[in-house]
Amino acid sequence: LDVGGPLVCSVPRLAAPAMIGRVWGFLKRHKKKFFFGTLAAGGAAYAAWQFLLPRVSNTILQRLLKEIAKESENATNEDAERRRRERFEHKQQVSDTHARRKLAALRSQQINCFKVEACNAKLKEGKTREEKLEAFTALGVECLAKAASALYTWFLLVLLHRVAFNIVGRELAEGPEKAGAKGEADGAGEADDDGAHAAFLQALDHLQEAGCEQIGEAVRQAVQVCLERAKLAPTVAIDGEGLQKFLADCCREADSGLVGNARAGALLLPDSLDGRAAPEQRGEVKRLLDEARDYLDSPQFVQVFQASTAQGAKLLAEALVLEITGVAGGEGPWPLAKFNPALIKLGGAMLEDAPAAEAEAEAEVEAPAEGAADAASAVPSAGIAAALARGFAQEPRVEELCNGLYFQGR
């Protein structure tokens, strides 16, 4: 048997045409099925492309648009919140600046409240040891009272303005819609609202017109009580820490007659308008004064005031020590009477807001006197008012009070 190459190669050449023939025959027998099947598949694909795809695309697009809108809304809310905070911070700065402009008038009032010159004259005129000791003790009381009163008045003034300016700022920030509705109901326009706000803020001058003398007398009595309680005489030695505690105690002793038991409103605000507002504005001004009085008489206001004055007593004691180390030298303690000149000086400097004084303070910090200990952190006398302002602005309880006032109900 010959099974050579030609016979083996003939098998695939015969199989391929036979297979193609069988496939072609199958297609011919089922050509209708293939035609309609292909037509149906193409129609389904076309329908999906024409109708289903746009719907799916539209759903996806709407979902994307919602996400974009949500992100945009969040960004808008963040921007609005940032702008509200910026307006709030600006109102606090305006309030403090406006309050400090009134310090010069308070300083003039304070000069008449204390008898430093009269006590000095009696000390010089004293014939006996008892007369001189009495005059010396009285002089110390006046010096301490002058400084403590200036500290007390400073914080009352700036806190009063924070309360009033945040009330007005909150109403202005509520928007024109409420103001417009109110104007239609009351028959008063935006100009009347502005006039009422101005009259309300003008009523804050009551402190410098009538409150300064009352504060001075109350603080003087508090100083006498605290001196007796601590058994401090002009010759008793005291250091900076002891002086800080004594000043803070004097402020707390004075609280009972000035701001305690809901008395701050009567001290800081007028009982009546007394021609401060036009007749058509008096109802609105009275409403603003009543709201401010409620806040001033609240326990929160007293707590904020006490925390602020305690911090202020620390700054004042540091400045007093810095003053006396330049005169008496040493690290202390020093006799209480040694502080009298520094108390008089700083009692006036606290009620001063001259730009020249602040520039002088910055110069003292940049170029401290040779041998001054820790001069970078100490408070120079010329900058005591600026130091009080910085400490006040950073007090957390002040921030909390002002936030509650300005963002009330929002």
Side-chain angles (χ1 to χ4, degrees):
L1 294 173
D2 186 9
V3 290
L7 180 62
V8 174
C9 292
S10 64
V11 176
R13 284 200 294 266
L14 293 174
M19 183 180 296
I20 293 173
R22 287 195 296 270
V23 169
W24 179 249
F26 177 81
L27 290 176
K28 288 175 68 177
R29 290 194 302 272
H30 298 88
K31 60 181 179 181
K32 291 184 179 181
K33 294 180 181 179
F34 277 100
F35 174 76
F36 288 109
T38 303
L39 184 63
Y46 179 78
W49 179 72
Q50 286 289 332
F51 302 104
L52 184 59
L53 182 62
R55 291 186 181 182
V56 172
S57 300
N58 188 43
T59 302
I60 296 173
L61 183 59
Q62 287 180 356
R63 189 176 301 169
L64 289 173
L65 288 175
K66 286 180 181 179
E67 291 178 0
I68 294 172
K70 186 176 180 180
E71 292 176 359
S72 177
E73 182 181 357
N74 291 337
T76 302
N77 291 338
E78 290 176 1
D79 290 342
E81 179 62 24
R82 178 180 55 79
R83 288 194 296 269
R84 282 195 294 268
R85 293 301 307 179
E86 288 175 353
R87 286 195 295 267
F88 169 74
E89 295 295 340
H90 178 67
K91 291 290 189 300
Q92 312 318 303
Q93 296 172 7
V94 170
S95 173
D96 292 348
T97 301
H98 189 77
R100 293 175 66 184
R101 287 174 182 167
K102 299 181 179 180
L103 290 173
L106 284 171
R107 183 177 182 178
S108 300
Q109 294 284 338
Q110 189 202 44
I111 293 174
N112 300 325
C113 293
F114 298 97
K115 307 169 184 177
V116 176
E117 296 297 330
C119 290
N120 268 322
K122 285 185 179 181
L123 181 60
K124 293 177 182 178
E125 296 170 358
K127 303 297 183 183
T128 66
R129 183 177 181 278
E130 288 76 14
E131 288 178 350
K132 287 185 175 292
L133 181 58
E134 182 182 354
F136 197 42
T137 302
L139 176 62
V141 170
E142 292 299 300
C143 293
L144 285 165
K146 180 175 182 178
S149 173
L151 181 72
Y152 203 94
T153 303
W154 194 98
F155 283 101
L156 277 181
L157 178 70
V158 292
L159 262 178
L160 168 65
H161 280 72
R162 282 289 188 101
V163 170
F165 271 76
N166 278 293
I167 290 174
V168 172
R170 182 193 68 218
E171 295 206 344
L172 293 175
E174 285 177 348
E177 293 183 2
K178 182 176 179 180
K182 183 177 178 299
E184 292 177 3
D186 296 345
E190 184 179 349
D192 289 337
D193 288 339
D194 292 342
H197 291 154
F200 168 61
L201 295 177
Q202 187 180 3
L204 306 183
D205 294 343
H206 178 75
L207 173 60
Q208 63 202 63
E209 294 170 357
C212 192
E213 185 175 353
Q214 184 179 351
I215 294 171
E217 183 57 33
V219 172
R220 180 188 288 110
Q221 294 177 7
V223 167
Q224 292 172 337
V225 170
C226 291
L227 284 172
E228 293 177 5
R229 182 190 300 154
K231 295 180 171 52
L232 282 176
T235 56
V236 174
I238 190 171
D239 59 7
E241 185 177 349
L243 195 58
Q244 174 188 342
K245 183 179 183 304
F246 178 79
L247 291 168
D249 288 345
C250 290
C251 292
R252 299 295 73 81
E253 183 67 28
D255 287 345
S256 59
L258 293 174
V259 299
N261 300 318
R263 295 182 178 181
L267 172 68
L268 301 174
L269 296 176
D271 293 332
S272 61
L273 296 177
D274 294 329
R276 296 178 187 269
E280 64 274 11
Q281 298 169 351
R282 288 177 185 170
E284 181 67 9
V285 176
K286 183 180 182 304
R287 181 186 67 80
L288 294 170
L289 286 172
D290 289 343
E291 182 180 357
R293 190 174 285 107
D294 288 341
Y295 277 103
L296 295 174
D297 290 340
S298 68
Q300 185 185 11
F301 177 85
V302 177
Q303 292 170 2
V304 173
F305 175 72
Q306 290 178 346
S308 301
T309 49
Q311 177 65 20
K314 181 178 183 294
L315 293 173
L316 177 55
E318 290 174 354
L320 287 166
V321 169
L322 184 62
E323 284 287 324
I324 198 171
T325 52
V327 177
E331 298 181 357
W334 305 269
L336 182 60
K338 286 283 187 181
F339 287 95
N340 285 352
L343 286 165
I344 295 172
K345 180 179 180 180
L346 289 169
M350 278 186 284
L351 301 181
E352 186 177 81
D353 192 38
E358 295 189 5
E360 181 182 346
E362 293 177 2
E364 289 186 32
V365 172
E366 292 174 2
E370 185 178 353
D374 197 19
S377 61
V379 181
S381 61
I384 183 63
L388 291 176
R390 288 193 296 270
F392 174 78
Q394 296 169 3
E395 171 59 44
R397 296 190 185 185
V398 173
E399 178 80 7
E400 182 181 354
L401 174 68
C402 296
N403 265 297
L405 275 163
Y406 188 83
F407 294 108
Q408 184 184 75
R410 288 191 290 159

